[in-house]
Amino acid sequence: MRNIALKLMYVGTAYHGWQVQKTVSTVGETLENALATVVCHPVKCTGVGRTDAGVHAEVYVANFRTSSNIPCDRIPLAVNTRLPEDIVVIKATQVPDSFNAIASCLRKEYTYRIYNSRLGNPFYVDRAWFYPKPLEEAVMQAAADRFVGTHDFAAVRSVGTETKTTVRTVHYFHVRRIGPLIECAVCANGFLYNMARAMVGTIVYAAEGKFPPEAVTDILEGKNRTAAGPTVPPGGLYMTKLWYQEDIL
């Protein structure tokens, strides 16, 4: 059996996240079904993360095992002809048996996009959060800086999947404006359920003046979810970078 890593991208609007579910369409299930027709046996994919319904991925990694001898360079084209247009496999690489898309990932970057303008833009519907009130990105950055480092992130975690610890290390949290578009890029060694979206909601609250940027430190120490900002809508969130020791990207 070969262990194959796939690099892919997808628009998540039509799907209920990555994880296979019984009654709704997901990215993982759609990919597994397409792969099964290529390798001629059932396929189980392990994804790098359980992206939520409506969340997108500019880069995503999954791995699966196959007895098929199809060359790796033929897999992307073969599977893409069997996938809808909003999911595209870019690369396939044979990896060691020990490789696991989620366990082998060293760190991840999510980018959240806010369309900050008095008037909306139809081309950003389900691609960015339309926010008509003015936001000062310098205040957002000052609040974002408070998240950097190793902390208990229970205050920005929604109730969901169980985890052994809520301690994570955030390597950076950058906020930049490109015209009306504000991009919030956060990199960590791992993310809790809805953590990235709650972090963005918290820095938006700081920009709204609901609390000063330095209050984020106390919010984290208090571990109280209700003290932080809201979980912002999923359509603005993208998985944008992944780090592995293996050369699969």
Side-chain angles (χ1 to χ4, degrees), residues 58-119:
E58 292 182 356
V59 59
Y60 193 92
V61 169
N63 71 290
F64 71 100
R65 298 181 187 275
T66 181
S67 56
S68 170
N69 292 321
I70 181 173
C72 284
D73 61 355
R74 290 180 54 194
I75 292 175
L77 183 59
V79 73
N80 285 337
T81 61
R82 295 161 171 84
L83 284 170
E85 292 180 336
D86 50 9
I87 305 173
V88 176
V89 174
I90 302 167
K91 184 180 179 182
T93 306
Q94 185 167 343
V95 289
D97 286 343
S98 59
F99 179 85
N100 178 286
I102 187 167
S104 301
C105 186
L106 303 175
R107 51 180 174 156
K108 309 172 188 177
E109 180 196 82
Y110 281 97
T111 299
Y112 194 87
R113 295 179 174 128
I114 302 170
Y115 193 78
N116 186 215
S117 174
R118 189 172 63 87
L119 300 176

Side-chain angles (χ1 to χ4, degrees), residues 45-222:
C45 287
T46 299
V48 67
R50 295 182 61 177
T51 54
D52 295 333
V55 173
H56 318 293
E58 292 182 356
V59 59
Y60 193 92
V61 169
N63 71 290
F64 71 100
R65 298 181 187 275
T66 181
S67 56
S68 170
N69 292 321
I70 181 173
C72 284
D73 61 355
R74 290 180 54 194
I75 292 175
L77 183 59
V79 73
N80 285 337
T81 61
R82 295 161 171 84
L83 284 170
E85 292 180 336
D86 50 9
I87 305 173
V88 176
V89 174
I90 302 167
K91 184 180 179 182
T93 306
Q94 185 167 343
V95 289
D97 286 343
S98 59
F99 179 85
N100 178 286
I102 187 167
S104 301
C105 186
L106 303 175
R107 51 180 174 156
K108 309 172 188 177
E109 180 196 82
Y110 281 97
T111 299
Y112 194 87
R113 295 179 174 128
I114 302 170
Y115 193 78
N116 186 215
S117 174
R118 189 172 63 87
L119 300 176
N121 185 326
F123 293 100
Y124 283 103
V125 173
D126 294 325
R127 302 292 191 277
W129 180 29
F130 172 50
Y131 196 90
K133 293 187 289 185
L135 289 172
E136 178 51 61
E137 62 270 22
V139 177
M140 295 172 69
Q141 184 63 70
D145 289 342
R146 298 281 173 158
F147 283 108
V148 177
T150 302
H151 308 286
D152 188 326
F153 286 91
V156 285
R157 174 206 182 191
S158 297
V159 175
T161 54
E162 291 301 317
T163 182
K164 292 180 180 179
T165 176
T166 51
V167 174
R168 296 290 187 273
T169 298
V170 170
H171 299 288
Y172 60 77
F173 192 176
H174 300 321
V175 180
R176 66 169 183 164
R177 178 184 285 274
I178 309 168
L181 198 66
I182 298 176
E183 292 194 335
C184 309
V186 55
C187 173
N189 64 346
F191 288 84
L192 303 167
Y193 183 52
N194 283 342
M195 175 175 155
R197 289 161 59 193
M199 290 170 69
V200 172
T202 301
I203 67 174
V204 167
Y205 259 26
E208 288 182 340
K210 288 184 166 60
F211 44 71
E214 54 270 22
V216 171
T217 300
D218 294 331
I219 290 170
L220 288 175
E221 291 177 353

Side-chain angles (χ1 to χ4, degrees), residues 226-242:
T226 61
T231 301
V232 293
L237 186 63
Y238 300 71
M239 183 176 283
T240 45
K241 288 184 182 178
L242 297 168

